[in-house]
PDB file of all heavy atoms in Angstrom:
ATOM      1  N   ARG A   1       0.831  -1.213  -0.005  1.00 97.00           N
ATOM      2  CA  ARG A   1       0.025   0.012   0.010  1.00 97.00           C
ATOM      3  C   ARG A   1       0.862   1.225  -0.011  1.00 97.00           C
ATOM      4  O   ARG A   1       1.894   1.331   0.698  1.00 97.00           O
ATOM      5  CB  ARG A   1      -0.879   0.015   1.225  1.00 97.00           C
ATOM      6  CG  ARG A   1      -1.841  -1.105   1.345  1.00 97.00           C
ATOM      7  CD  ARG A   1      -2.961  -0.957   0.248  1.00 97.00           C
ATOM      8  NE  ARG A   1      -3.760  -2.122   0.179  1.00 97.00           N
ATOM      9  CZ  ARG A   1      -3.681  -3.027  -0.812  1.00 97.00           C
ATOM     10  NH1 ARG A   1      -2.814  -2.821  -1.828  1.00 97.00           N
ATOM     11  NH2 ARG A   1      -4.443  -4.070  -0.841  1.00 97.00           N
ATOM     12  N   TYR A   2       0.432   2.198  -0.843  1.00 96.00           N
ATOM     13  CA  TYR A   2       1.143   3.491  -0.913  1.00 96.00           C
ATOM     14  C   TYR A   2       0.201   4.572  -0.339  1.00 96.00           C
ATOM     15  O   TYR A   2      -0.895   4.690  -0.823  1.00 96.00           O
ATOM     16  CB  TYR A   2       1.477   3.819  -2.371  1.00 96.00           C
ATOM     17  CG  TYR A   2       2.285   5.075  -2.549  1.00 96.00           C
ATOM     18  CD1 TYR A   2       3.621   5.047  -2.404  1.00 96.00           C
ATOM     19  CD2 TYR A   2       1.625   6.274  -2.788  1.00 96.00           C
ATOM     20  CE1 TYR A   2       4.378   6.254  -2.587  1.00 96.00           C
ATOM     21  CE2 TYR A   2       2.332   7.461  -2.952  1.00 96.00           C
ATOM     22  CZ  TYR A   2       3.723   7.464  -2.839  1.00 96.00           C
ATOM     23  OH  TYR A   2       4.419   8.582  -2.992  1.00 96.00           O
ATOM     24  N   ASP A   3       0.665   5.295   0.698  1.00 95.00           N
ATOM     25  CA  ASP A   3      -0.098   6.334   1.274  1.00 95.00           C
ATOM     26  C   ASP A   3       0.787   7.424   1.789  1.00 95.00           C
ATOM     27  O   ASP A   3       1.631   7.189   2.637  1.00 95.00           O
ATOM     28  CB  ASP A   3      -0.967   5.727   2.451  1.00 95.00           C
ATOM     29  CG  ASP A   3      -1.896   6.767   3.038  1.00 95.00           C
ATOM     30  OD1 ASP A   3      -2.462   7.576   2.329  1.00 95.00           O
ATOM     31  OD2 ASP A   3      -2.027   6.715   4.297  1.00 95.00           O
ATOM     32  N   ASN A   4       0.579   8.606   1.270  1.00 93.00           N
ATOM     33  CA  ASN A   4       1.321   9.787   1.734  1.00 93.00           C
ATOM     34  C   ASN A   4       2.841   9.558   1.744  1.00 93.00           C
ATOM     35  O   ASN A   4       3.471   9.769   2.775  1.00 93.00           O
ATOM     36  CB  ASN A   4       0.812  10.183   3.071  1.00 93.00           C
ATOM     37  CG  ASN A   4       1.202  11.635   3.477  1.00 93.00           C
ATOM     38  OD1 ASN A   4       1.450  12.445   2.588  1.00 93.00           O
ATOM     39  ND2 ASN A   4       1.276  11.895   4.751  1.00 93.00           N
ATOM     40  N   HIS A   5       3.374   9.089   0.637  1.00 92.00           N
ATOM     41  CA  HIS A   5       4.791   8.908   0.478  1.00 92.00           C
ATOM     42  C   HIS A   5       5.388   7.792   1.335  1.00 92.00           C
ATOM     43  O   HIS A   5       6.582   7.770   1.628  1.00 92.00           O
ATOM     44  CB  HIS A   5       5.623  10.202   0.650  1.00 92.00           C
ATOM     45  CG  HIS A   5       5.176  11.297  -0.233  1.00 92.00           C
ATOM     46  ND1 HIS A   5       5.403  11.275  -1.616  1.00 92.00           N
ATOM     47  CD2 HIS A   5       4.487  12.453   0.013  1.00 92.00           C
ATOM     48  CE1 HIS A   5       4.884  12.385  -2.138  1.00 92.00           C
ATOM     49  NE2 HIS A   5       4.333  13.107  -1.170  1.00 92.00           N
ATOM     50  N   THR A   6       4.506   6.902   1.798  1.00 94.00           N
ATOM     51  CA  THR A   6       4.968   5.809   2.640  1.00 94.00           C
ATOM     52  C   THR A   6       4.412   4.530   2.016  1.00 94.00           C
ATOM     53  O   THR A   6       3.244   4.433   1.654  1.00 94.00           O
ATOM     54  CB  THR A   6       4.444   5.922   4.085  1.00 94.00           C
ATOM     55  OG1 THR A   6       4.958   7.134   4.631  1.00 94.00           O
ATOM     56  CG2 THR A   6       4.866   4.743   4.953  1.00 94.00           C
ATOM     57  N   VAL A   7       5.288   3.501   1.936  1.00 96.00           N
ATOM     58  CA  VAL A   7       4.846   2.197   1.411  1.00 96.00           C
ATOM     59  C   VAL A   7       4.809   1.240   2.594  1.00 96.00           C
ATOM     60  O   VAL A   7       5.746   1.140   3.378  1.00 96.00           O
ATOM     61  CB  VAL A   7       5.813   1.673   0.344  1.00 96.00           C
ATOM     62  CG1 VAL A   7       5.388   0.275  -0.101  1.00 96.00           C
ATOM     63  CG2 VAL A   7       5.853   2.653  -0.872  1.00 96.00           C
ATOM     64  N   THR A   8       3.763   0.504   2.674  1.00 96.00           N
ATOM     65  CA  THR A   8       3.609  -0.556   3.693  1.00 96.00           C
ATOM     66  C   THR A   8       3.424  -1.898   2.986  1.00 96.00           C
ATOM     67  O   THR A   8       2.517  -2.076   2.229  1.00 96.00           O
ATOM     68  CB  THR A   8       2.370  -0.296   4.656  1.00 96.00           C
ATOM     69  OG1 THR A   8       2.521   0.945   5.211  1.00 96.00           O
ATOM     70  CG2 THR A   8       2.259  -1.358   5.685  1.00 96.00           C
ATOM     71  N   PHE A   9       4.366  -2.789   3.298  1.00 96.00           N
ATOM     72  CA  PHE A   9       4.294  -4.151   2.750  1.00 96.00           C
ATOM     73  C   PHE A   9       3.752  -5.073   3.831  1.00 96.00           C
ATOM     74  O   PHE A   9       4.177  -5.013   4.991  1.00 96.00           O
ATOM     75  CB  PHE A   9       5.663  -4.687   2.325  1.00 96.00           C
ATOM     76  CG  PHE A   9       6.224  -3.952   1.130  1.00 96.00           C
ATOM     77  CD1 PHE A   9       7.130  -2.932   1.294  1.00 96.00           C
ATOM     78  CD2 PHE A   9       5.881  -4.362  -0.150  1.00 96.00           C
ATOM     79  CE1 PHE A   9       7.644  -2.254   0.233  1.00 96.00           C
ATOM     80  CE2 PHE A   9       6.391  -3.671  -1.239  1.00 96.00           C
ATOM     81  CZ  PHE A   9       7.248  -2.642  -1.064  1.00 96.00           C
ATOM     82  N   THR A  10       2.849  -5.967   3.426  1.00 96.00           N
ATOM     83  CA  THR A  10       2.308  -6.955   4.359  1.00 96.00           C
ATOM     84  C   THR A  10       2.421  -8.299   3.676  1.00 96.00           C
ATOM     85  O   THR A  10       2.017  -8.471   2.527  1.00 96.00           O
ATOM     86  CB  THR A  10       0.854  -6.679   4.711  1.00 96.00           C
ATOM     87  OG1 THR A  10       0.743  -5.347   5.198  1.00 96.00           O
ATOM     88  CG2 THR A  10       0.329  -7.635   5.723  1.00 96.00           C
ATOM     89  N   ILE A  11       3.017  -9.266   4.367  1.00 95.00           N
ATOM     90  CA  ILE A  11       3.121 -10.612   3.857  1.00 95.00           C
ATOM     91  C   ILE A  11       2.418 -11.553   4.845  1.00 95.00           C
ATOM     92  O   ILE A  11       2.789 -11.577   6.041  1.00 95.00           O
ATOM     93  CB  ILE A  11       4.606 -11.043   3.673  1.00 95.00           C
ATOM     94  CG1 ILE A  11       5.254 -10.099   2.665  1.00 95.00           C
ATOM     95  CG2 ILE A  11       4.674 -12.496   3.148  1.00 95.00           C
ATOM     96  CD1 ILE A  11       6.680  -9.787   2.952  1.00 95.00           C
ATOM     97  N   LEU A  12       1.409 -12.229   4.414  1.00 95.00           N
ATOM     98  CA  LEU A  12       0.611 -13.115   5.298  1.00 95.00           C
ATOM     99  C   LEU A  12       0.640 -14.513   4.677  1.00 95.00           C
ATOM    100  O   LEU A  12       0.744 -14.709   3.478  1.00 95.00           O
ATOM    101  CB  LEU A  12      -0.857 -12.640   5.325  1.00 95.00           C
ATOM    102  CG  LEU A  12      -1.098 -11.202   5.690  1.00 95.00           C
ATOM    103  CD1 LEU A  12      -2.548 -10.828   5.398  1.00 95.00           C
ATOM    104  CD2 LEU A  12      -0.820 -11.034   7.167  1.00 95.00           C
ATOM    105  N   ASP A  13       0.588 -15.525   5.581  1.00 95.00           N
ATOM    106  CA  ASP A  13       0.415 -16.856   5.089  1.00 95.00           C
ATOM    107  C   ASP A  13      -0.464 -17.609   6.103  1.00 95.00           C
ATOM    108  O   ASP A  13      -0.662 -17.217   7.232  1.00 95.00           O
ATOM    109  CB  ASP A  13       1.768 -17.568   4.893  1.00 95.00           C
ATOM    110  CG  ASP A  13       2.515 -17.873   6.184  1.00 95.00           C
ATOM    111  OD1 ASP A  13       2.064 -18.751   6.890  1.00 95.00           O
ATOM    112  OD2 ASP A  13       3.562 -17.193   6.445  1.00 95.00           O
ATOM    113  N   ASP A  14      -0.991 -18.743   5.609  1.00 95.00           N
ATOM    114  CA  ASP A  14      -1.868 -19.568   6.483  1.00 95.00           C
ATOM    115  C   ASP A  14      -1.160 -20.879   6.799  1.00 95.00           C
ATOM    116  O   ASP A  14      -1.791 -21.910   6.959  1.00 95.00           O
ATOM    117  CB  ASP A  14      -3.219 -19.813   5.808  1.00 95.00           C
ATOM    118  CG  ASP A  14      -3.072 -20.569   4.461  1.00 95.00           C
ATOM    119  OD1 ASP A  14      -1.942 -20.867   4.038  1.00 95.00           O
ATOM    120  OD2 ASP A  14      -4.121 -20.908   3.910  1.00 95.00           O
ATOM    121  N   GLY A  15       0.126 -20.789   6.951  1.00 92.00           N
ATOM    122  CA  GLY A  15       0.926 -21.981   7.246  1.00 92.00           C
ATOM    123  C   GLY A  15       1.048 -22.366   8.706  1.00 92.00           C
ATOM    124  O   GLY A  15       0.086 -22.110   9.489  1.00 92.00           O
ATOM    125  N   ASN A  16       2.154 -22.916   9.087  1.00 87.00           N
ATOM    126  CA  ASN A  16       2.379 -23.509  10.416  1.00 87.00           C
ATOM    127  C   ASN A  16       2.255 -22.500  11.546  1.00 87.00           C
ATOM    128  O   ASN A  16       1.979 -22.879  12.672  1.00 87.00           O
ATOM    129  CB  ASN A  16       3.778 -24.155  10.466  1.00 87.00           C
ATOM    130  CG  ASN A  16       3.829 -25.429   9.710  1.00 87.00           C
ATOM    131  OD1 ASN A  16       2.894 -26.209   9.743  1.00 87.00           O
ATOM    132  ND2 ASN A  16       4.889 -25.662   9.032  1.00 87.00           N
ATOM    133  N   GLY A  17       2.529 -21.221  11.274  1.00 87.00           N
ATOM    134  CA  GLY A  17       2.524 -20.268  12.366  1.00 87.00           C
ATOM    135  C   GLY A  17       3.786 -20.390  13.188  1.00 87.00           C
ATOM    136  O   GLY A  17       4.694 -21.150  12.909  1.00 87.00           O
ATOM    137  N   MET A  18       3.802 -19.684  14.309  1.00 85.00           N
ATOM    138  CA  MET A  18       4.932 -19.750  15.238  1.00 85.00           C
ATOM    139  C   MET A  18       4.419 -19.475  16.636  1.00 85.00           C
ATOM    140  O   MET A  18       3.397 -18.872  16.833  1.00 85.00           O
ATOM    141  CB  MET A  18       6.013 -18.785  14.821  1.00 85.00           C
ATOM    142  CG  MET A  18       5.623 -17.318  14.824  1.00 85.00           C
ATOM    143  SD  MET A  18       6.970 -16.219  14.285  1.00 85.00           S
ATOM    144  CE  MET A  18       6.967 -16.484  12.541  1.00 85.00           C
ATOM    145  N   ASP A  19       5.198 -20.054  17.584  1.00 88.00           N
ATOM    146  CA  ASP A  19       4.818 -19.882  18.984  1.00 88.00           C
ATOM    147  C   ASP A  19       5.011 -18.399  19.401  1.00 88.00           C
ATOM    148  O   ASP A  19       5.712 -17.624  18.737  1.00 88.00           O
ATOM    149  CB  ASP A  19       5.523 -20.864  19.920  1.00 88.00           C
ATOM    150  CG  ASP A  19       7.058 -20.638  19.843  1.00 88.00           C
ATOM    151  OD1 ASP A  19       7.568 -19.577  20.179  1.00 88.00           O
ATOM    152  OD2 ASP A  19       7.724 -21.593  19.404  1.00 88.00           O
ATOM    153  N   ALA A  20       4.457 -18.057  20.520  1.00 90.00           N
ATOM    154  CA  ALA A  20       4.496 -16.664  21.008  1.00 90.00           C
ATOM    155  C   ALA A  20       5.889 -16.156  21.237  1.00 90.00           C
ATOM    156  O   ALA A  20       6.212 -15.002  20.934  1.00 90.00           O
ATOM    157  CB  ALA A  20       3.634 -16.503  22.235  1.00 90.00           C
ATOM    158  N   ALA A  21       6.784 -17.011  21.753  1.00 88.00           N
ATOM    159  CA  ALA A  21       8.166 -16.587  22.072  1.00 88.00           C
ATOM    160  C   ALA A  21       8.929 -16.303  20.765  1.00 88.00           C
ATOM    161  O   ALA A  21       9.626 -15.290  20.694  1.00 88.00           O
ATOM    162  CB  ALA A  21       8.898 -17.688  22.843  1.00 88.00           C
ATOM    163  N   THR A  22       8.755 -17.124  19.730  1.00 83.00           N
ATOM    164  CA  THR A  22       9.403 -16.891  18.465  1.00 83.00           C
ATOM    165  C   THR A  22       8.900 -15.646  17.805  1.00 83.00           C
ATOM    166  O   THR A  22       9.666 -14.843  17.264  1.00 83.00           O
ATOM    167  CB  THR A  22       9.230 -18.139  17.525  1.00 83.00           C
ATOM    168  OG1 THR A  22       9.706 -19.281  18.179  1.00 83.00           O
ATOM    169  CG2 THR A  22       9.894 -17.917  16.183  1.00 83.00           C
ATOM    170  N   LEU A  23       7.586 -15.441  17.877  1.00 84.00           N
ATOM    171  CA  LEU A  23       6.955 -14.272  17.307  1.00 84.00           C
ATOM    172  C   LEU A  23       7.530 -12.987  17.979  1.00 84.00           C
ATOM    173  O   LEU A  23       7.889 -12.052  17.320  1.00 84.00           O
ATOM    174  CB  LEU A  23       5.459 -14.305  17.426  1.00 84.00           C
ATOM    175  CG  LEU A  23       4.682 -13.121  16.879  1.00 84.00           C
ATOM    176  CD1 LEU A  23       4.895 -12.927  15.395  1.00 84.00           C
ATOM    177  CD2 LEU A  23       3.161 -13.302  17.143  1.00 84.00           C
ATOM    178  N   ASP A  24       7.601 -13.044  19.288  1.00 87.00           N
ATOM    179  CA  ASP A  24       8.104 -11.899  20.052  1.00 87.00           C
ATOM    180  C   ASP A  24       9.581 -11.620  19.661  1.00 87.00           C
ATOM    181  O   ASP A  24       9.990 -10.511  19.459  1.00 87.00           O
ATOM    182  CB  ASP A  24       8.037 -12.129  21.548  1.00 87.00           C
ATOM    183  CG  ASP A  24       8.527 -10.963  22.315  1.00 87.00           C
ATOM    184  OD1 ASP A  24       7.996  -9.836  22.143  1.00 87.00           O
ATOM    185  OD2 ASP A  24       9.469 -11.173  23.161  1.00 87.00           O
ATOM    186  N   GLU A  25      10.369 -12.683  19.567  1.00 83.00           N
ATOM    187  CA  GLU A  25      11.820 -12.518  19.190  1.00 83.00           C
ATOM    188  C   GLU A  25      11.935 -11.908  17.790  1.00 83.00           C
ATOM    189  O   GLU A  25      12.711 -10.991  17.582  1.00 83.00           O
ATOM    190  CB  GLU A  25      12.546 -13.844  19.270  1.00 83.00           C
ATOM    191  CG  GLU A  25      14.020 -13.743  18.869  1.00 83.00           C
ATOM    192  CD  GLU A  25      14.698 -15.083  18.846  1.00 83.00           C
ATOM    193  OE1 GLU A  25      14.019 -16.135  18.819  1.00 83.00           O
ATOM    194  OE2 GLU A  25      15.938 -15.082  18.840  1.00 83.00           O
ATOM    195  N   ASN A  26      11.133 -12.411  16.851  1.00 81.00           N
ATOM    196  CA  ASN A  26      11.220 -11.876  15.480  1.00 81.00           C
ATOM    197  C   ASN A  26      10.805 -10.415  15.421  1.00 81.00           C
ATOM    198  O   ASN A  26      11.409  -9.612  14.721  1.00 81.00           O
ATOM    199  CB  ASN A  26      10.317 -12.732  14.550  1.00 81.00           C
ATOM    200  CG  ASN A  26      10.908 -14.070  14.255  1.00 81.00           C
ATOM    201  OD1 ASN A  26      12.095 -14.306  14.447  1.00 81.00           O
ATOM    202  ND2 ASN A  26      10.069 -14.983  13.776  1.00 81.00           N
ATOM    203  N   ARG A  27       9.801 -10.072  16.188  1.00 84.00           N
ATOM    204  CA  ARG A  27       9.386  -8.662  16.213  1.00 84.00           C
ATOM    205  C   ARG A  27      10.462  -7.797  16.782  1.00 84.00           C
ATOM    206  O   ARG A  27      10.740  -6.673  16.318  1.00 84.00           O
ATOM    207  CB  ARG A  27       8.079  -8.494  17.040  1.00 84.00           C
ATOM    208  CG  ARG A  27       6.871  -8.957  16.294  1.00 84.00           C
ATOM    209  CD  ARG A  27       5.609  -8.738  17.110  1.00 84.00           C
ATOM    210  NE  ARG A  27       4.463  -9.120  16.328  1.00 84.00           N
ATOM    211  CZ  ARG A  27       3.343  -9.504  16.823  1.00 84.00           C
ATOM    212  NH1 ARG A  27       3.163  -9.629  18.127  1.00 84.00           N
ATOM    213  NH2 ARG A  27       2.324  -9.814  16.052  1.00 84.00           N
ATOM    214  N   ARG A  28      11.127  -8.230  17.848  1.00 84.00           N
ATOM    215  CA  ARG A  28      12.216  -7.458  18.428  1.00 84.00           C
ATOM    216  C   ARG A  28      13.413  -7.328  17.519  1.00 84.00           C
ATOM    217  O   ARG A  28      14.050  -6.296  17.449  1.00 84.00           O
ATOM    218  CB  ARG A  28      12.597  -8.070  19.775  1.00 84.00           C
ATOM    219  CG  ARG A  28      11.508  -7.855  20.823  1.00 84.00           C
ATOM    220  CD  ARG A  28      11.861  -8.358  22.250  1.00 84.00           C
ATOM    221  NE  ARG A  28      12.416  -9.688  22.182  1.00 84.00           N
ATOM    222  CZ  ARG A  28      13.543 -10.020  22.849  1.00 84.00           C
ATOM    223  NH1 ARG A  28      14.167  -9.200  23.639  1.00 84.00           N
ATOM    224  NH2 ARG A  28      14.035 -11.226  22.784  1.00 84.00           N
ATOM    225  N   ILE A  29      13.647  -8.386  16.684  1.00 78.00           N
ATOM    226  CA  ILE A  29      14.770  -8.292  15.730  1.00 78.00           C
ATOM    227  C   ILE A  29      14.416  -7.270  14.654  1.00 78.00           C
ATOM    228  O   ILE A  29      15.244  -6.406  14.329  1.00 78.00           O
ATOM    229  CB  ILE A  29      15.010  -9.683  15.057  1.00 78.00           C
ATOM    230  CG1 ILE A  29      15.591 -10.641  16.063  1.00 78.00           C
ATOM    231  CG2 ILE A  29      15.909  -9.535  13.837  1.00 78.00           C
ATOM    232  CD1 ILE A  29      15.631 -12.113  15.550  1.00 78.00           C
ATOM    233  N   LEU A  30      13.188  -7.299  14.182  1.00 77.00           N
ATOM    234  CA  LEU A  30      12.753  -6.297  13.147  1.00 77.00           C
ATOM    235  C   LEU A  30      12.789  -4.882  13.668  1.00 77.00           C
ATOM    236  O   LEU A  30      13.071  -3.966  12.909  1.00 77.00           O
ATOM    237  CB  LEU A  30      11.348  -6.665  12.616  1.00 77.00           C
ATOM    238  CG  LEU A  30      11.298  -7.807  11.627  1.00 77.00           C
ATOM    239  CD1 LEU A  30       9.815  -8.189  11.368  1.00 77.00           C
ATOM    240  CD2 LEU A  30      11.948  -7.401  10.342  1.00 77.00           C
ATOM    241  N   CYS A  31      12.521  -4.688  14.914  1.00 80.00           N
ATOM    242  CA  CYS A  31      12.542  -3.360  15.505  1.00 80.00           C
ATOM    243  C   CYS A  31      13.906  -2.921  15.881  1.00 80.00           C
ATOM    244  O   CYS A  31      14.104  -1.785  16.412  1.00 80.00           O
ATOM    245  CB  CYS A  31      11.599  -3.263  16.697  1.00 80.00           C
ATOM    246  SG  CYS A  31       9.875  -3.472  16.255  1.00 80.00           S
ATOM    247  N   GLY A  32      14.915  -3.747  15.766  1.00 75.00           N
ATOM    248  CA  GLY A  32      16.273  -3.442  16.179  1.00 75.00           C
ATOM    249  C   GLY A  32      16.512  -3.513  17.645  1.00 75.00           C
ATOM    250  O   GLY A  32      17.497  -2.988  18.117  1.00 75.00           O
ATOM    251  N   GLU A  33      15.590  -4.102  18.357  1.00 79.00           N
ATOM    252  CA  GLU A  33      15.683  -4.208  19.798  1.00 79.00           C
ATOM    253  C   GLU A  33      16.466  -5.474  20.289  1.00 79.00           C
ATOM    254  O   GLU A  33      16.785  -5.584  21.505  1.00 79.00           O
ATOM    255  CB  GLU A  33      14.332  -4.241  20.484  1.00 79.00           C
ATOM    256  CG  GLU A  33      13.493  -2.982  20.185  1.00 79.00           C
ATOM    257  CD  GLU A  33      12.042  -3.167  20.612  1.00 79.00           C
ATOM    258  OE1 GLU A  33      11.645  -4.222  21.079  1.00 79.00           O
ATOM    259  OE2 GLU A  33      11.271  -2.172  20.429  1.00 79.00           O
ATOM    260  N   HIS A  34      16.722  -6.412  19.383  1.00 70.00           N
ATOM    261  CA  HIS A  34      17.353  -7.626  19.744  1.00 70.00           C
ATOM    262  C   HIS A  34      18.319  -8.086  18.645  1.00 70.00           C
ATOM    263  O   HIS A  34      17.997  -8.023  17.494  1.00 70.00           O
ATOM    264  CB  HIS A  34      16.300  -8.725  19.962  1.00 70.00           C
ATOM    265  CG  HIS A  34      16.815 -10.094  20.212  1.00 70.00           C
ATOM    266  ND1 HIS A  34      17.486 -10.419  21.390  1.00 70.00           N
ATOM    267  CD2 HIS A  34      16.823 -11.200  19.423  1.00 70.00           C
ATOM    268  CE1 HIS A  34      17.857 -11.705  21.276  1.00 70.00           C
ATOM    269  NE2 HIS A  34      17.453 -12.197  20.151  1.00 70.00           N
TER     270      HIS A  34
END
């Protein structure tokens, strides 16, 4: 999506998923916190 000079990419899947701890770790990696 393009909105006001900003692009937002979203990638979704209906696969295996991940446990809460892995999801939290991945989010912290993406935010540069870990």
Side-chain angles (χ1 to χ4, degrees):
R1 298 288 170 255
Y2 183 87
D3 184 38
N4 197 26
H5 304 290
T6 300
V7 177
T8 303
F9 291 97
T10 305
I11 299 144
L12 306 167
D13 70 71
D14 61 357
N16 286 319
M18 60 182 76
D19 60 63
T22 303
L23 179 61
D24 181 58
E25 179 183 18
N26 288 343
R27 284 183 175 153
R28 290 183 314 133
I29 291 170
L30 281 171
C31 293
E33 298 169 0
H34 174 69

